[in-house]
Amino acid sequence: KDVSGDSEPQPSHIDSFNPCSSESVLVVDDCHVSCRMLTHMLRTMGYSNVDTCTDGHQALRQFHEKRSRYRTVLTDFHVGELKGDALVELLRSDEAACRHGGLKIIGMTGDDNITAATWKGVDAVLHKPFNGKQLELFMLAPAASVQRQSLGNGSRHWPTPAKSLQPLGEA
């Protein structure tokens, strides 16, 4: 409180619930509509710093320009000439070279054959279509606690971030 007795502004519920809301997120998808939808979902969750790229090469340039800002990358598997698996491999090697660590990479695909086990280097795979709640589970979990899972497209394989972050209706 200040001298006048007025209380200082309190952080919003989202900001206090989501400590990562001030961190930047990089979204990589060759579909402009998907980029806009993901940006909207992320902003609804409290992420105000969302950058989008429509191909893997553009994403690499963006990542190198703002390297220290990104803690999460959401990438589609099919993102132009540089596919998502190659992009993830390059991001992970860059992360190791910089000793930056802590980068969470969430892959997105409509191909049910692509899983976290087959897409090396991702922390999680969201199968399209997915909703905001499914995305939120992975966004709120620290990279180390998301246990390389696949989610979406009717899948019942929920991530196991923190015990308090269980999907609605699940125990």
Side-chain angles (χ1 to χ4, degrees):
K1 284 190 170 189
D2 62 22
V3 178
S4 67
D6 294 331
S7 59
E8 295 180 15
Q10 297 296 315
S12 74
H13 173 69
I14 289 175
D15 290 339
S16 62
F17 180 64
N18 184 358
C20 299
S21 63
S22 64
E23 293 178 7
S24 293
V25 177
L26 180 61
V27 174
V28 188
D29 198 315
D30 58 346
C31 175
H32 295 282
V33 173
S34 291
C35 284
R36 287 181 25 211
M37 288 173 49
L38 284 164
T39 299
H40 175 74
M41 283 184 198
L42 291 165
R43 287 193 174 142
T44 300
M45 289 178 220
Y47 292 89
S48 57
N49 301 314
V50 180
D51 295 326
T52 61
C53 296
T54 55
D55 71 57
H57 292 294
Q58 181 187 17
L60 278 177
R61 284 191 302 274
Q62 184 82 0
F63 187 80
H64 287 136
E65 286 174 16
K66 299 180 180 181
R67 166 181 324 217
S68 62
R69 289 184 45 198
Y70 297 116
R71 289 288 180 216
T72 303
V73 175
L74 289 158
T75 182
D76 189 38
F77 191 80
H78 302 286
V79 285
E81 292 177 25
L82 184 64
K83 298 284 185 228
D85 56 347
L87 173 61
V88 170
E89 184 178 338
L90 290 167
L91 290 173
R92 289 291 184 210
S93 66
D94 187 50
E95 175 187 32
C98 296
R99 297 170 201 242
H100 181 265
L103 179 66
K104 180 174 20 177
I105 302 177
I106 301 172
M108 304 174 294
T109 184
D111 185 345
D112 289 339
N113 294 320
I114 299 173
T115 66
T118 60
W119 191 348
K120 302 211 182 316
V122 296
D123 294 296
V125 173
L126 287 170
H127 287 96
K128 296 177 181 181
F130 54 86
N131 62 38
K133 286 288 183 195
Q134 293 167 327
L135 176 60
E136 187 174 34
L137 283 171
F138 284 108
M139 292 302 295
L140 294 177
S145 70
V146 175
Q147 299 190 358
R148 297 182 51 80
Q149 303 255 343
S150 297
L151 177 66
N153 200 18
S155 172
R156 300 296 289 168
H157 301 285
W158 293 94
T160 53
K163 292 185 188 235
S164 61
L165 296 175
Q166 295 299 316
L168 296 176
E170 297 280 321

PDB file of all heavy atoms in Angstrom, residues 1 10 19 25 45 60 62 65 76 135 140 142 165:
ATOM      1  N   LYS A   1       0.837  -1.202   0.000  1.00  0.00           N
ATOM      2  CA  LYS A   1       0.000   0.000   0.000  1.00  0.00           C
ATOM      3  C   LYS A   1       0.869   1.249   0.000  1.00  0.00           C
ATOM      4  O   LYS A   1       1.918   1.287   0.616  1.00  0.00           O
ATOM      5  CB  LYS A   1      -0.881   0.016   1.239  1.00  0.00           C
ATOM      6  CG  LYS A   1      -2.046  -0.920   1.164  1.00  0.00           C
ATOM      7  CD  LYS A   1      -2.983  -0.671   2.317  1.00  0.00           C
ATOM      8  CE  LYS A   1      -4.249  -1.423   2.096  1.00  0.00           C
ATOM      9  NZ  LYS A   1      -5.275  -1.092   3.043  1.00  0.00           N
ATOM     10  N   GLN A  10      -3.317  -5.079  -8.496  1.00  0.00           N
ATOM     11  CA  GLN A  10      -3.014  -6.496  -8.341  1.00  0.00           C
ATOM     12  C   GLN A  10      -2.871  -7.143  -9.713  1.00  0.00           C
ATOM     13  O   GLN A  10      -3.554  -6.746 -10.652  1.00  0.00           O
ATOM     14  CB  GLN A  10      -4.132  -7.201  -7.561  1.00  0.00           C
ATOM     15  CG  GLN A  10      -4.287  -6.691  -6.144  1.00  0.00           C
ATOM     16  CD  GLN A  10      -3.051  -6.972  -5.315  1.00  0.00           C
ATOM     17  OE1 GLN A  10      -2.510  -8.060  -5.354  1.00  0.00           O
ATOM     18  NE2 GLN A  10      -2.588  -5.976  -4.570  1.00  0.00           N
ATOM     19  N   PRO A  19       3.010 -17.947 -14.601  1.00  0.00           N
ATOM     20  CA  PRO A  19       4.206 -17.119 -14.443  1.00  0.00           C
ATOM     21  C   PRO A  19       4.959 -16.901 -15.750  1.00  0.00           C
ATOM     22  O   PRO A  19       5.822 -16.063 -15.817  1.00  0.00           O
ATOM     23  CB  PRO A  19       5.053 -17.914 -13.447  1.00  0.00           C
ATOM     24  CG  PRO A  19       4.595 -19.320 -13.588  1.00  0.00           C
ATOM     25  CD  PRO A  19       3.137 -19.232 -13.944  1.00  0.00           C
ATOM     26  N   VAL A  25       6.590 -16.485 -27.127  1.00  0.00           N
ATOM     27  CA  VAL A  25       6.303 -17.780 -27.731  1.00  0.00           C
ATOM     28  C   VAL A  25       6.459 -17.621 -29.233  1.00  0.00           C
ATOM     29  O   VAL A  25       5.994 -16.638 -29.814  1.00  0.00           O
ATOM     30  CB  VAL A  25       4.858 -18.233 -27.407  1.00  0.00           C
ATOM     31  CG1 VAL A  25       4.537 -19.551 -28.095  1.00  0.00           C
ATOM     32  CG2 VAL A  25       4.655 -18.347 -25.903  1.00  0.00           C
ATOM     33  N   MET A  45      -4.749 -17.027 -22.942  1.00  0.00           N
ATOM     34  CA  MET A  45      -4.095 -17.641 -21.788  1.00  0.00           C
ATOM     35  C   MET A  45      -3.190 -16.656 -21.049  1.00  0.00           C
ATOM     36  O   MET A  45      -2.657 -16.988 -19.993  1.00  0.00           O
ATOM     37  CB  MET A  45      -3.240 -18.827 -22.246  1.00  0.00           C
ATOM     38  CG  MET A  45      -4.010 -20.013 -22.695  1.00  0.00           C
ATOM     39  SD  MET A  45      -2.848 -21.279 -23.258  1.00  0.00           S
ATOM     40  CE  MET A  45      -3.719 -21.894 -24.671  1.00  0.00           C
ATOM     41  N   LEU A  60      13.830 -20.120 -37.950  1.00  0.00           N
ATOM     42  CA  LEU A  60      15.229 -20.151 -37.496  1.00  0.00           C
ATOM     43  C   LEU A  60      15.819 -18.749 -37.425  1.00  0.00           C
ATOM     44  O   LEU A  60      16.502 -18.410 -36.453  1.00  0.00           O
ATOM     45  CB  LEU A  60      16.082 -21.016 -38.419  1.00  0.00           C
ATOM     46  CG  LEU A  60      16.037 -22.507 -38.175  1.00  0.00           C
ATOM     47  CD1 LEU A  60      16.864 -23.243 -39.218  1.00  0.00           C
ATOM     48  CD2 LEU A  60      16.531 -22.854 -36.783  1.00  0.00           C
ATOM     49  N   GLN A  62      14.168 -15.936 -37.033  1.00  0.00           N
ATOM     50  CA  GLN A  62      13.493 -15.258 -35.916  1.00  0.00           C
ATOM     51  C   GLN A  62      14.063 -15.725 -34.578  1.00  0.00           C
ATOM     52  O   GLN A  62      14.311 -14.922 -33.683  1.00  0.00           O
ATOM     53  CB  GLN A  62      11.984 -15.535 -35.998  1.00  0.00           C
ATOM     54  CG  GLN A  62      11.158 -14.829 -34.978  1.00  0.00           C
ATOM     55  CD  GLN A  62      10.848 -13.398 -35.363  1.00  0.00           C
ATOM     56  OE1 GLN A  62      11.252 -12.899 -36.414  1.00  0.00           O
ATOM     57  NE2 GLN A  62      10.150 -12.717 -34.498  1.00  0.00           N
ATOM     58  N   GLU A  65      17.475 -14.219 -34.000  1.00  0.00           N
ATOM     59  CA  GLU A  65      17.412 -12.788 -33.709  1.00  0.00           C
ATOM     60  C   GLU A  65      16.971 -12.515 -32.275  1.00  0.00           C
ATOM     61  O   GLU A  65      17.441 -11.578 -31.649  1.00  0.00           O
ATOM     62  CB  GLU A  65      16.429 -12.102 -34.676  1.00  0.00           C
ATOM     63  CG  GLU A  65      16.969 -11.950 -36.069  1.00  0.00           C
ATOM     64  CD  GLU A  65      15.911 -11.394 -37.026  1.00  0.00           C
ATOM     65  OE1 GLU A  65      14.875 -10.859 -36.558  1.00  0.00           O
ATOM     66  OE2 GLU A  65      16.120 -11.511 -38.241  1.00  0.00           O
ATOM     67  N   ASP A  76       4.329 -26.674 -36.413  1.00  0.00           N
ATOM     68  CA  ASP A  76       3.647 -27.683 -37.206  1.00  0.00           C
ATOM     69  C   ASP A  76       4.716 -28.600 -37.805  1.00  0.00           C
ATOM     70  O   ASP A  76       5.885 -28.223 -37.907  1.00  0.00           O
ATOM     71  CB  ASP A  76       2.839 -26.994 -38.310  1.00  0.00           C
ATOM     72  CG  ASP A  76       1.918 -27.940 -39.050  1.00  0.00           C
ATOM     73  OD1 ASP A  76       1.334 -28.834 -38.404  1.00  0.00           O
ATOM     74  OD2 ASP A  76       1.771 -27.796 -40.275  1.00  0.00           O
ATOM     75  N   LEU A 135      -4.095 -27.257 -25.313  1.00  0.00           N
ATOM     76  CA  LEU A 135      -2.882 -26.461 -25.487  1.00  0.00           C
ATOM     77  C   LEU A 135      -2.413 -25.899 -24.153  1.00  0.00           C
ATOM     78  O   LEU A 135      -1.226 -25.930 -23.831  1.00  0.00           O
ATOM     79  CB  LEU A 135      -3.143 -25.330 -26.486  1.00  0.00           C
ATOM     80  CG  LEU A 135      -1.999 -24.344 -26.712  1.00  0.00           C
ATOM     81  CD1 LEU A 135      -0.760 -25.050 -27.249  1.00  0.00           C
ATOM     82  CD2 LEU A 135      -2.446 -23.238 -27.661  1.00  0.00           C
ATOM     83  N   LEU A 140       1.375 -24.542 -19.679  1.00  0.00           N
ATOM     84  CA  LEU A 140       1.593 -24.258 -18.262  1.00  0.00           C
ATOM     85  C   LEU A 140       2.604 -25.183 -17.610  1.00  0.00           C
ATOM     86  O   LEU A 140       3.121 -24.879 -16.546  1.00  0.00           O
ATOM     87  CB  LEU A 140       0.265 -24.333 -17.502  1.00  0.00           C
ATOM     88  CG  LEU A 140      -0.753 -23.261 -17.874  1.00  0.00           C
ATOM     89  CD1 LEU A 140      -2.052 -23.473 -17.114  1.00  0.00           C
ATOM     90  CD2 LEU A 140      -0.204 -21.870 -17.617  1.00  0.00           C
ATOM     91  N   PRO A 142       6.162 -26.985 -17.043  1.00  0.00           N
ATOM     92  CA  PRO A 142       7.576 -26.785 -17.377  1.00  0.00           C
ATOM     93  C   PRO A 142       8.030 -27.854 -18.364  1.00  0.00           C
ATOM     94  O   PRO A 142       7.521 -28.974 -18.347  1.00  0.00           O
ATOM     95  CB  PRO A 142       8.297 -26.957 -16.037  1.00  0.00           C
ATOM     96  CG  PRO A 142       7.235 -26.858 -14.994  1.00  0.00           C
ATOM     97  CD  PRO A 142       5.952 -27.259 -15.638  1.00  0.00           C
ATOM     98  N   LEU A 165      -2.651 -29.795 -12.482  1.00  0.00           N
ATOM     99  CA  LEU A 165      -3.069 -29.474 -13.825  1.00  0.00           C
ATOM    100  C   LEU A 165      -3.631 -30.709 -14.524  1.00  0.00           C
ATOM    101  O   LEU A 165      -3.056 -31.223 -15.453  1.00  0.00           O
ATOM    102  CB  LEU A 165      -1.895 -28.918 -14.648  1.00  0.00           C
ATOM    103  CG  LEU A 165      -1.328 -27.615 -14.167  1.00  0.00           C
ATOM    104  CD1 LEU A 165      -0.113 -27.246 -14.990  1.00  0.00           C
ATOM    105  CD2 LEU A 165      -2.363 -26.519 -14.245  1.00  0.00           C
TER     106      LEU A 165
END
